[in-house]
Amino acid sequence: MKRVICILSALLLFGGLARAQVNLEEEFFSLPDSVTNSYLDSVKINIAKPNDYWMIGVYGGASAQYGFYNPDRMVRWHLQYPVYGFSVVRHFTMFGIFPNMGMEFGAQMNYEGYEFKSNGETGYRYTESGAYAAKISVPEAFFLSHFHIDIGEHFKFVAKLGLYGGYRLKIHRLLDTPYVEDEEFLKYVDAFRSYDRRLTYGVMGGFGVALMFNPFEFHLTLNGKWGWNSFWEPQYNNIGEYTPYYYRFAYPLDAGLTFGVYYQLTPRYGHTKAQLRRLAKRMVADQKNQ
């Protein structure tokens, strides 16, 4: 008798558990008839995209000019300052997959120029129409691709590459000793000549690091610039039919160092694992509160 009672009790317990399982499945996995596939497809969930924000900032620093010449000339780095400007940066997640992309555009007051040095053996120094150096002020505008890799919550690497264009606004020449009292050369110390080119354009880029303390970012960047328009007309020194100096050119090749302060115009979301976990928790909490 006891054995029969035990068997019946076990059957009743198993049946109750099975019934409870069915009820749980109905409660948690069944949807009302009004919730159709079409309805689910129409539901929009607002999800914050990582690293999808705007920022604007100002920066300052110095630039050094070197140049690329033909005929080849002995040159030295020529420092000019201050460089200053502003830029707007738009970070975005490309294709919804790559959170390291962005674009940057802005304007700056920069410099171009050259300085020739003497030959250590002969003492001879090239001059450009009597000047061994020139300092040129150049306002520029630029448009760059902007890349970044976040390392932790407050640090990132930055790289940028793109195009620039500008106008050679002012020039100051340093005359070599034999020409300092020659009136023909003195009148062009602070003036452009007919064969000087005023427009400048080319490729520029940079690499740097940044500290981020929302909503501010602090950027230290090493920049480079390669101009595609010579300082002067290549053939300006032609003196006859048999001496076509078409090969004479001088292209800007410059470097610079700048420090900038940026303000995040919209909220920033990082893409480190810790930041994504916090973002996911907040999204779940927002869904529960709706």
Side-chain angles (χ1 to χ4, degrees):
M1 187 67 178
K2 291 182 179 179
R3 182 177 299 178
V4 173
I5 293 174
C6 291
I7 294 173
L8 291 174
S9 299
L11 291 174
L12 290 173
L13 179 60
F14 179 79
L17 290 174
R19 181 183 180 85
Q21 181 68 28
V22 171
N23 290 338
L24 286 173
E25 290 177 354
E26 292 179 353
E27 180 179 354
F28 287 96
F29 300 99
S30 298
L31 295 173
D33 294 338
S34 59
V35 181
T36 63
N37 290 335
S38 300
Y39 170 77
L40 292 174
D41 291 339
S42 66
V43 174
K44 294 182 179 180
I45 301 176
N46 295 322
I47 301 176
K49 297 179 180 178
N51 283 312
D52 191 351
Y53 67 101
W54 290 82
M55 68 179 184
I56 186 171
V58 295
Y59 58 87
S63 68
Q65 289 71 52
Y66 193 76
F68 177 64
Y69 304 90
N70 190 25
D72 190 26
R73 297 190 174 184
M74 299 181 64
V75 295
R76 61 163 54 96
W77 286 102
H78 184 65
L79 184 66
Q80 297 190 72
Y81 57 89
V83 173
Y84 55 90
F86 77 95
S87 68
V88 178
V89 182
R90 170 72 164 95
H91 294 85
F92 57 85
T93 302
M94 189 170 69
F95 307 131
I97 300 175
F98 305 104
N100 309 100
M101 311 301 294
M103 61 181 182
E104 180 176 358
F105 58 91
Q108 63 184 7
M109 189 65 191
N110 203 352
Y111 302 93
E112 293 180 349
Y114 51 85
E115 181 175 350
F116 306 128
K117 63 180 182 180
S118 302
N119 187 304
E121 297 179 358
T122 65
Y124 177 76
R125 176 164 59 182
Y126 284 104
T127 63
E128 179 56 40
S129 297
Y132 69 90
K135 302 178 180 180
I136 305 173
S137 300
V138 185
E140 298 170 343
F142 55 85
F143 185 84
L144 312 172
S145 295
H146 189 103
F147 310 92
H148 62 98
I149 300 176
D150 293 16
I151 307 296
E153 189 171 353
H154 301 293
F155 183 82
K156 67 179 176 180
F157 292 104
V158 175
K160 56 188 75 176
L161 181 66
L163 301 175
Y164 81 94
Y167 187 76
R168 292 163 182 152
L169 188 63
K170 297 179 181 179
I171 187 169
H172 179 70
R173 308 177 200 271
L174 302 178
L175 298 179
D176 206 357
T177 304
Y179 309 99
V180 293
E181 297 182 358
D182 191 316
E183 293 185 1
E184 185 64 26
F185 295 105
L186 286 173
K187 65 182 181 181
Y188 291 112
V189 168
D190 296 303
F192 289 96
R193 302 158 302 192
S194 60
Y195 49 82
D196 286 325
R197 291 179 172 179
R198 305 292 293 273
L199 291 178
T200 179
Y201 51 85
V203 62
M204 67 180 297
F207 178 81
V209 296
L211 294 176
M212 301 173 290
F213 298 95
N214 301 339
F216 293 98
E217 297 187 14
F218 306 92
H219 291 231
L220 182 64
T221 309
L222 179 64
N223 306 290
K225 187 180 76 172
W226 177 27
W228 292 343
N229 196 21
S230 178
F231 289 119
W232 47 72
E233 296 291 340
Q235 72 278 14
Y236 81 87
N237 204 30
N238 286 3
I239 57 176
E241 181 180 357
Y242 302 103
T243 56
Y245 288 101
Y246 60 89
Y247 56 83
R248 293 173 59 91
F249 57 76
Y251 294 105
L253 185 60
D254 308 330
L257 184 66
T258 59
F259 175 78
V261 179
Y262 288 82
Y263 180 79
Q264 298 164 0
L265 298 175
T266 53
R268 167 188 170 268
Y269 301 98
H271 67 280
T272 62
K273 291 182 179 179
Q275 291 167 328
L276 287 178
R277 281 196 295 267
R278 286 196 294 270
L279 178 60
K281 290 180 181 178
R282 195 187 72 179
M283 291 164 54
V284 172
D286 291 342
Q287 291 295 324
K288 290 181 177 179
N289 294 330
Q290 291 180 356

